């Protein structure tokens, strides 16, 4: 008879242990990220639309070239006008993360090597799809956009 007395306790205990175990896994999951500025982005949506219109009028063609995965390489950002001529006098920054690990954000500063070419040292720890939030600033102009690019193995 005593055995059956402990069955509900064991069932309840295992349920609580399973729930705690799941919470620990969820809290430590590197593939989960929360946009810390979601509320602020919602408040300034009209400003975002204005920024996008201004960027479209600016007409810059921005191309991002990441290094291969696992190599200490160079992140290149090429910037050209509508007519293909390089844009000079720029500096900027990049925030990037692998799509599978959005909480592991890497930040780097871009410096101009030559007109139309900005570079930064960068190491992509894994291949695959990455998201790059690029901000470029020049004389009176600011360009900000998100670029998705593949990092080769």
């Amino acid at each position: 008879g005593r055995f059956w007395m402990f069955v509900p306790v064991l069932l309840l205990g295992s349920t609580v242990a399973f729930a705690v175990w799941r919470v620990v896994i969820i809290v430590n999951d590197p593939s989960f990220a929360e946009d810390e500025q979601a509320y602020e982005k919602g408040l300034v949506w009209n400003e975002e639309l204005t920024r996008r219109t201004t960027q479209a009028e600016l007409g810059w063609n921005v191309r991002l070239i990441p290094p291969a995965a696992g190599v200490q390489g160079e992140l290149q950002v090429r910037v050209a006008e509508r007519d293909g001529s390089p844009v000079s006098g720029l500096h900027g920054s990049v925030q990037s993360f692998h799509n599978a690990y959005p909480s592991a954000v890497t930040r780097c500063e871009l410096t101009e090597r030559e007109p139309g070419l900005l570079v930064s040292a960068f190491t992509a720890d894994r291949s695959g799809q990455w998201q790059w939030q690029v901000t470029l600033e020049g004389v009176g102009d600011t360009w900000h956009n998100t670029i998705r690019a593949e990092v080769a193995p």
Side-chain angles (χ1 to χ4, degrees):
R2 282 190 176 258
F3 171 75
W4 295 110
M5 181 174 72
F6 291 108
V7 169
V9 173
L10 286 172
L11 288 174
L12 219 73
S14 63
T15 302
V16 169
F18 180 74
V20 168
W21 175 69
R22 290 300 299 154
V23 167
V24 168
I25 286 177
I26 290 169
V27 167
N28 294 317
D29 184 2
S31 67
F32 178 79
E34 180 179 329
D35 188 351
E36 298 169 1
Q37 300 173 339
Y39 181 74
E40 289 79 13
K41 287 179 181 177
L43 291 176
V44 295
W45 180 245
N46 288 338
E47 293 172 20
E48 172 68 15
L49 292 177
T50 303
R51 183 188 63 78
R52 288 181 185 187
T53 302
T54 303
Q55 282 185 191
E57 291 170 357
L58 191 57
W60 288 354
N61 178 20
V62 178
R63 192 172 54 138
L64 186 133
I65 307 160
V71 177
Q72 173 62 39
E74 185 174 77
L75 174 67
Q76 296 183 353
V77 177
R78 295 206 172 265
V79 186
E81 298 280 0
R82 278 193 180 99
D83 63 3
S85 62
V87 178
S88 62
L90 297 175
H91 65 280
S93 63
V94 174
Q95 292 186 23
S96 62
F97 58 86
H98 190 277
N99 275 1
Y101 299 94
S103 62
V105 177
T106 303
R107 292 172 176 80
C108 57
E109 295 297 316
L110 296 167
T111 55
E112 187 175 47
R113 175 178 292 159
E114 61 187 51
L117 176 62
L118 292 99
V119 297
S120 178
F122 186 81
T123 302
D125 55 353
R126 60 184 45 86
S127 62
Q129 188 74 20
W130 282 66
Q131 184 168 307
W132 315 80
Q133 296 173 349
V134 181
T135 302
L136 303 173
E137 296 179 6
V139 180
D141 295 318
T142 300
W143 187 92
H144 179 80
N145 207 350
T146 300
I147 299 173
R148 287 178 173 73
E150 188 80 18
V151 171

